[in-house]
Amino acid sequence: MAVRLFEDKEHAALYRKYRISPSEELIGKVLQFHKSNKDSSNNLAVDVGCGSGQGTLLLGPHFTHVVGTDISPAQLEMARKHVNVPNVSYRESPAEELPFEDGSVDLVTTMSAFHWFDHSRFLQEAHRVLKPHGCLALLNYTMDMELSYGDCSETLNHICNEFYAALQPFRNPYLGPSSLELYKKTYDSLQYPVKEWHENFWVRKTTPLSGYIGMVESFSAFQALLKKDPEEARRLSQDIEKRLLCAMDVTSSETEVIMGIKYFYCLACKPAKD
Ligand SMILES: C[S@@+](CC[C@H](N)C(=O)[O-])C[C@H]1O[C@@H](n2cnc3c(N)ncnc32)[C@H](O)[C@@H]1O
């Protein structure tokens, strides 16, 4: 089953503008794992469910070719608009039917996307396209997010938690109660002897407060509320922004805050023989 929630052009534009991607440091962990495996090579990396391509681009300097794949033409259009290196390209394809030969890919990544796929069909497909000793990396962020600003960070985070709680009823049922559980179960069930599980990796970046609000507005739960009740969605986000500004004692939503987001990830190396 495929869940298609990322098809609107406006949603894709929001993704391009506000989407967080894993940090270079986190991508570095993936590359380090990949490199530590025997006979690893860096010819082709495939980023599945690439969206507007921010994470895909991070792989560019490390592989001869990088291909981002996604089921959404609107997301791919955004990704293609912003590609500025010759070795990164994009293809429209379902995660469950990847357009690559058997045993041809060195690294398959999914960044905040695996939970939307048909999990077992995707894992079979990743296994098919990976070279022996090729690696699979499943990354996702959690709702453990922190805003830091002066001495009011605790108050800011209370307000942010209210934002997430208001969006919780709009979480897509396909996701189940916890993405972390899904990924951990997937990790436990992977029949790859060389594998790693990490659930406590913080990515921090400085962003205007408007960037944080834009990022939450790009979440599928906010988009679901926006479709159901646009007025309520706008009211909620404006109210949260106002309260955050008030706690920070500033008037401009361009004021910079530090945003921290906790990631978890699973890394696994396909054995040489099935
Ligand atoms: C939450 S977004 C993440 C995008 C990007 N990787 C990022 O980190 O910003 C999930 C992406 O997965 C794509 N997607 C969902 N189901 C898919 C499927 N079955 N096959 C391919 N792509 C899919 C969506 O179109 C969307 O672009």
Side-chain angles (χ1 to χ4, degrees):
M1 174 187 151
V3 186
R4 304 193 61 153
L5 288 175
F6 301 88
E7 311 283 323
D8 287 0
K9 290 211 171 191
E10 295 93 74
H11 193 183
L14 210 60
Y15 252 68
R16 179 64 222 174
K17 190 157 176 205
Y18 295 117
R19 197 65 192 165
I20 29 146
S21 47
S23 57
E24 290 198 8
E25 201 190 345
L26 177 48
I27 292 296
K29 297 281 178 198
V30 174
L31 297 170
Q32 203 181 350
F33 176 81
H34 175 59
K35 194 171 162 196
S36 70
N37 288 299
K38 202 174 135 238
D39 296 335
S40 70
S41 54
N42 286 45
N43 183 45
L44 175 60
V46 175
D47 181 32
V48 184
C50 63
S52 50
Q54 288 92 323
T56 319
L57 288 176
L58 294 174
L59 298 169
H62 307 284
F63 290 82
T64 311
H65 304 282
V66 176
V67 182
T69 67
D70 203 284
I71 205 169
S72 158
Q75 294 282 353
L76 289 169
E77 190 185 323
M78 276 295 149
R80 287 191 182 111
K81 250 190 211 162
H82 292 91
V83 71
N84 52 4
V85 282
N87 67 327
V88 176
S89 59
Y90 294 97
R91 292 181 72 165
E92 187 179 332
S93 112
E96 301 79 6
E97 289 164 47
L98 294 172
F100 303 98
E101 302 281 310
D102 295 3
S104 62
V105 179
D106 295 295
L107 172 69
V108 171
T109 57
T110 75
M111 309 188 199
S112 316
F114 168 70
H115 42 277
W116 293 110
F117 304 160
D118 179 323
H119 313 126
S120 61
R121 285 185 58 216
F122 164 71
L123 291 171
Q124 276 170 31
E125 194 59 352
H127 183 79
R128 180 186 70 75
V129 301
L130 277 173
K131 289 178 185 171
H133 300 298
C135 288
L136 174 66
L138 311 175
L139 283 57
N140 196 18
Y141 59 79
T142 65
M143 294 308 289
D144 277 339
M145 298 187 184
E146 288 175 1
L147 288 188
S148 310
Y149 183 81
D151 58 5
C152 62
S153 306
E154 208 176 306
T155 313
L156 298 186
N157 290 317
H158 275 303
I159 299 169
C160 293
N161 285 335
E162 283 182 42
F163 202 2
Y164 312 143
L167 297 178
Q168 182 62 23
F170 300 91
R171 181 179 164 88
N172 190 286
Y174 188 68
L175 297 177
S178 154
S179 295
L180 188 132
E181 249 171 53
L182 163 72
Y183 282 69
K184 179 64 168 63
K185 253 195 200 156
T186 303
Y187 167 78
D188 288 337
S189 67
L190 273 176
Q191 298 294 310
Y192 291 1
V194 180
K195 57 182 181 175
E196 290 183 8
W197 170 253
H198 300 266
E199 61 175 61
N200 204 359
F201 191 96
W202 282 89
V203 169
R204 287 193 169 81
K205 73 170 204 173
T206 302
T207 174
L209 183 68
S210 59
Y212 163 75
I213 297 284
M215 181 195 72
V216 179
E217 288 183 351
S218 81
F219 291 170
S220 59
F222 185 87
Q223 292 293 312
L225 170 60
L226 190 65
K227 272 213 172 90
K228 185 169 178 257
D229 189 345
E231 226 172 82
E232 172 54 19
R234 264 177 236 117
R235 190 209 56 76
L236 174 68
S237 130
Q238 282 165 5
D239 175 58
I240 294 287
E241 184 171 317
K242 230 191 262 161
R243 290 171 59 201
L244 290 171
L245 286 170
C246 177
M248 289 160 69
D249 199 18
V250 297
T251 50
S252 167
S253 57
E254 292 316 296
T255 308
E256 291 196 324
V257 294
I258 298 171
M259 180 166 75
I261 299 182
K262 193 163 89 172
Y263 272 77
F264 55 86
Y265 59 99
C266 155
L267 305 172
C269 175
K270 176 177 167 174
K273 283 196 183 105
D274 287 339

